[in-house]
Amino acid sequence: MYNEKAVLQGRTSENKIINADLVVIGGGLAGTCAAISAARSGVKVTLVQDRPVLGGNSSSEVRLWTLGATSHMGNNNRWSREGGVINEILAENMFRNKEGNTVIFDTVLLDKVINEPNITLLLNTAVYATHKSSDTNINAVEAFCSQNSINYQLRGKYFCDASGDGIVAFQAGASFRMGAEAENEFGEKMAPVQENKELLGHSIYFYSKDTGKPVKYVAPSYASIDKMSLERLKRIKRDDLGPRLWWLEYGGNHDTISESEDIKWELWKVVYGIWDHIKNSGEFDGVDNLTLEWAGTIPGKRESRRFMGHYFMIQQDIVEQRTFDDAISYGGWAIDHHPADGVYSESSPCTQYHAKGVYQIPLRCFVSKDISNLFLAGRIISTSHIAFGSTRVMATCGHGGQAVGQAVAYCLQEQIAPTQLWHDNHIQVLQNRLNELGHFIPKVALNNNKNLATQARITASSELSLAELTPAKINNDINWKPLKISAGQLLPLKKDTQYTFDITVKVSQASQFTIELRDSSKAQNYTPDHLVEELSFELIQGIHQLSIKFSNTLAEDKYALLCFLKNEHVAVACSEHRISGLVSVFNGENKAVSNTGKQIVIGDIGIDEFEFWTPERRPEGHNIAMKITPSIDSFSASNVINGYTRPHLQSNAWVADISTDTAELILEWSTVQKISEIILHFDGDFDHAMESSLYGHPEDKVPFCVSQYSIFNESGELIKEVTGNYQAVNHLLLDTPVDTQKLIFKFNRATKYVPIALFELIIK
């Protein structure tokens, strides 16, 4: 027992010193991905988080779904979901938690971190002081854990501020901005004429459930919606919960750091006031048995400080999709801004303007221009207020965090300063490391110089030559897709090639049917803003086979969209086959991301007008059944060494024949090779938005991803067998290096109607 006498001069808390190569401040998705990424490259990491769980706004404390470039599948950014660590986390979450329970997501994140031996994790530990060895160098931060009363001195060679508000960058004296820049500073046409202090506000959500018996609700004294705007009052629905209540926002006209507690109280007033309104106003039916299951205790914060890096991203970088030599991440969420008055504003709760495709984010945005050993990650990176409207979302932040982790590892390995990373050939090496890990950087291919697979003769037991997507049958009838809205099929086509497409249609009433071939004005995009050719058919009632032959051809190899324009009297036959690199899209609405089928722009705000053609979520979203002449030969075995790990201009995947349940990929060398490492990039369906919570997913594994395969040497001896895989990237480190002239990969089909596919193969 303890029986200590009084110490009149007082006591001090226990002090601990922890030394690391990298100290990551903030355990949201940006900080978590940075820590995991660095640790896996041998960096000793201290990850300090001031909350009891990881995940930040995606955690069970706030419960916002994780999203990025896929934007709820509501934009034209095909195959754009963020790769690498953040994809690994989301795929793991879908496997364990396809229903989207945020408590389970907490455990997924914690599992990923505690299983990295190079990470020291400190939860409930808040950094309160920053120490510097010189004007431009941090050597330690001090933090206090509210649960064990220990003071920590966290020493490091590098620091990554992923804290959201930039506590370390702020204390270290780094330059920052808050509020909106004026239009004339950077020529951003979405910016206000005069700079101002308006920010995006905070949000608090709630969950309700039906208890099966009447439950009364007595509101607390502070609950009130008296000031809420009529526009917001009309949005209240009895069944909305969690992040569908994103519009419960307040605080944009306040200091979102120093006044954050006051903002929280205002949001509590609104949340409990809304629930009182739902339960007790008499305006809602079927609410007697509903209870308030959960309400947030801390708000989800959108915006505060943005710190200055060696590059400052602006609106034009996003809209024009500018290219950067030091690109290490990317974004694709809309430029998404909200009125500062939040729930008290009569304006729409957000304005979202999309670019025509994804955009690159340079490494220079992640490195403080003032502090030599400080990296920035998450929403505090170096952007304007307008550009921040897109870069701030969590999957984008997590993706950038992984890049920071690798950048730190590279600096330590090569003993260079962060500012040297974008000079000489360092950035190319860093980009390649990231791409090997499945990170994906748009328009940056893998450099396969050190990949032994590029020196091998590669053959496959079969290769898909796509001549037909056969019609599916439901109850002995064709699976018809009525053209209540325009539908399209994205296909990887070759330049200077005249294609014929034969489709089956069912016509209920004589009408004119229009079909178009479109492509994108920028080859890397999927926005069909350029008409290649249009054909019209006079149809009578009945089932018909239409032969669609276009005279015009594409000027370069790229994706094109075969468009079937809206006609309520016509239905097209669909196929059950789902193929890597193919997707059907529709010119419909997705109100979750301000998509009404077309982006309408009022005035000159530097934004393009264009149509949205977006996919449907499985189990819908079937490809359009058709015969294709000449067949699409975009699926050869040689694709596994072409440097791309997802569709870009072409499918970039080796795809086996549709009919086979097993397939082999064979690599043969002229001399014996010593092999110790094998990296396989499977199809993780990067077109699917893997929201971490609430939305839910139709399956726990991506149906395109190979789940079982074996690897053999030239003698037929088993080198490695993998079962139960659901991750896009498999990184195999062999216990003992293998000397062989031949590798045989035997893959099993994971899902009926989905052929075996592999994007990239790296042998070392």
Side-chain angles (χ1 to χ4, degrees), residues 418-633:
T419 51
Q420 292 176 263
L421 284 169
W422 47 85
H423 297 292
D424 302 321
N425 69 333
H426 295 307
I427 191 62
Q428 287 81 15
V429 176
L430 177 59
Q431 288 169 332
N432 214 54
R433 286 188 180 184
L434 287 165
N435 278 334
E436 279 192 358
L437 297 170
H439 182 75
F440 178 67
I441 306 166
K443 298 196 288 187
V444 179
L446 268 164
N447 181 336
N448 274 317
N449 288 341
K450 296 182 179 180
N451 181 4
L452 293 177
T454 63
Q455 302 170 26
R457 185 171 73 91
I458 300 176
T459 56
S461 57
S462 68
E463 296 175 340
L464 174 63
S465 180
L466 187 60
E468 183 175 12
L469 289 163
T470 55
K473 292 290 185 72
I474 299 177
N475 298 325
N476 295 320
D477 190 16
I478 287 175
N479 180 14
W480 298 105
K481 182 71 175 179
L483 294 177
K484 296 177 182 178
I485 58 174
S486 297
Q489 183 67 50
L490 269 172
L491 297 165
L493 302 182
K494 296 292 186 180
K495 67 178 181 179
D496 302 328
T497 303
Q498 284 186 312
Y499 287 94
T500 300
F501 304 96
D502 295 312
I503 66 169
T504 304
V505 297
K506 182 168 69 172
V507 183
S508 61
Q509 180 179 316
S511 63
Q512 186 180 69
F513 183 36
T514 302
I515 301 172
E516 297 176 343
L517 182 64
R518 302 187 191 179
D519 62 7
S520 176
S521 54
K522 288 187 177 180
Q524 75 271 19
N525 287 348
Y526 302 96
T527 295
D529 55 357
H530 173 247
L531 178 63
V532 178
E533 191 172 347
E534 179 180 281
L535 299 175
S536 291
F537 298 83
E538 295 294 337
L539 301 180
I540 61 173
Q541 185 178 7
I543 295 177
H544 306 281
Q545 305 294 321
L546 293 186
S547 186
I548 307 156
K549 186 169 185 178
F550 293 105
S551 300
N552 296 340
T553 62
L554 304 184
E556 54 189 319
D557 294 352
K558 59 160 65 170
Y559 272 85
L561 184 64
L562 185 59
C563 304
F564 307 99
L565 299 192
K566 175 181 176 181
N567 187 321
E568 61 184 9
H569 305 303
V570 177
V572 294
C574 292
S575 175
E576 288 181 284
H577 290 292
R578 300 183 188 270
I579 313 291
S580 295
L582 265 63
V583 66
S584 58
V585 290
F586 304 87
N587 184 220
E589 295 186 351
N590 189 325
K591 293 181 179 179
V593 290
S594 299
N595 172 353
T596 58
K598 182 177 181 179
Q599 180 157 284
I600 304 297
V601 179
I602 299 174
D604 182 11
I605 58 171
I607 296 292
D608 296 319
E609 287 195 344
F610 54 88
E611 291 179 347
F612 292 105
W613 289 76
T614 61
E616 295 177 327
R617 291 175 184 261
R618 290 187 300 273
E620 302 303 320
H622 296 286
N623 291 312
I624 308 300
M626 63 181 69
K627 293 181 179 179
I628 306 167
T629 308
S631 60
I632 296 176
D633 295 320

Side-chain angles (χ1 to χ4, degrees), residues 103-391:
V103 176
I104 304 302
F105 189 56
D106 288 346
T107 68
V108 170
L109 293 172
L110 287 166
D111 246 3
K112 288 293 180 184
V113 168
I114 67 170
N115 281 310
E116 294 298 332
N118 283 329
I119 297 178
T120 298
L121 174 62
L122 302 175
L123 296 174
N124 292 307
T125 304
V127 169
Y128 63 86
T130 300
H131 300 287
K132 298 162 73 175
S133 59
S134 69
D135 288 346
T136 60
N137 190 272
I138 302 169
N139 62 356
V141 297
E142 290 186 72
F144 178 74
C145 178
S146 62
Q147 302 303 298
N148 61 17
S149 296
I150 295 176
N151 276 307
Y152 293 95
Q153 187 177 95
L154 308 176
R155 299 175 181 175
K157 298 172 185 175
Y158 290 98
F159 293 80
C160 172
D161 193 331
S163 64
D165 288 336
I167 180 65
V168 170
F170 175 80
Q171 291 180 341
S175 54
F176 70 93
R177 294 183 175 208
M178 286 182 73
E181 290 81 8
E183 178 184 352
N184 62 8
E185 184 170 6
F186 300 108
E188 297 176 299
K189 293 184 177 181
M190 289 182 68
V193 174
Q194 299 292 330
E195 65 179 44
N196 60 55
K197 296 181 180 179
E198 289 187 1
L199 303 167
L200 282 76
H202 301 4
S203 284
I204 284 181
Y205 312 134
F206 64 81
Y207 276 67
S208 62
K209 72 174 181 180
D210 191 323
T211 65
K213 59 183 179 181
V215 177
K216 72 176 181 181
Y217 178 69
V218 179
S221 61
Y222 51 82
S224 173
I225 55 173
D226 291 346
K227 297 188 294 181
M228 183 180 287
S229 70
L230 182 62
E231 198 280 344
R232 300 302 190 275
L233 282 170
K234 290 179 178 178
R235 289 179 174 269
I236 298 174
K237 300 175 184 176
R238 55 149 283 177
D239 295 323
D240 271 357
L241 48 82
R244 290 196 177 94
L245 298 161
W246 58 268
W247 52 269
L248 294 183
E249 181 177 1
Y250 178 73
N253 279 322
H254 296 265
D255 185 323
T256 54
I257 299 173
S258 66
E259 296 180 77
S260 192
E261 281 292 289
D262 299 325
I263 295 168
K264 176 195 71 178
W265 273 103
E266 193 68 24
L267 285 167
W268 274 349
K269 292 179 186 178
V270 171
V271 165
Y272 293 108
I274 286 176
W275 189 245
D276 184 39
H277 181 61
I278 290 172
K279 286 286 288 184
N280 299 323
S281 69
E283 296 181 17
F284 300 88
D285 296 327
V287 300
D288 289 349
N289 294 354
L290 293 183
T291 189
L292 187 61
E293 182 183 25
W294 171 88
T297 53
I298 62 170
K301 186 179 291 190
R302 288 183 177 85
E303 183 176 12
S304 55
R305 303 180 183 113
R306 295 167 285 111
F307 287 83
M308 304 301 291
H310 293 263
Y311 186 81
F312 193 73
M313 280 198 73
I314 59 175
Q315 174 185 340
Q316 297 91 312
D317 293 320
I318 293 172
V319 177
E320 298 172 17
Q321 301 172 266
R322 292 176 176 173
T323 300
F324 301 97
D325 290 340
D326 62 328
I328 48 82
S329 187
Y330 69 95
W333 186 259
I335 297 177
D336 179 5
H337 286 278
H338 304 185
D341 288 331
V343 292
Y344 303 133
S345 173
E346 290 291 354
S347 300
S348 173
C350 78
T351 56
Q352 294 184 323
Y353 289 105
H354 300 258
K356 288 184 174 181
V358 298
Y359 58 88
Q360 295 179 337
I361 306 176
L363 175 59
R364 287 166 291 162
C365 289
F366 296 86
V367 180
S368 168
K369 78 176 186 64
D370 306 303
I371 309 298
S372 62
N373 64 339
L374 176 63
F375 286 84
L376 311 167
R379 57 185 171 85
I380 70 170
I381 66 170
S382 182
T383 73
S384 70
H385 170 74
I386 296 298
F388 165 88
S390 176
T391 63

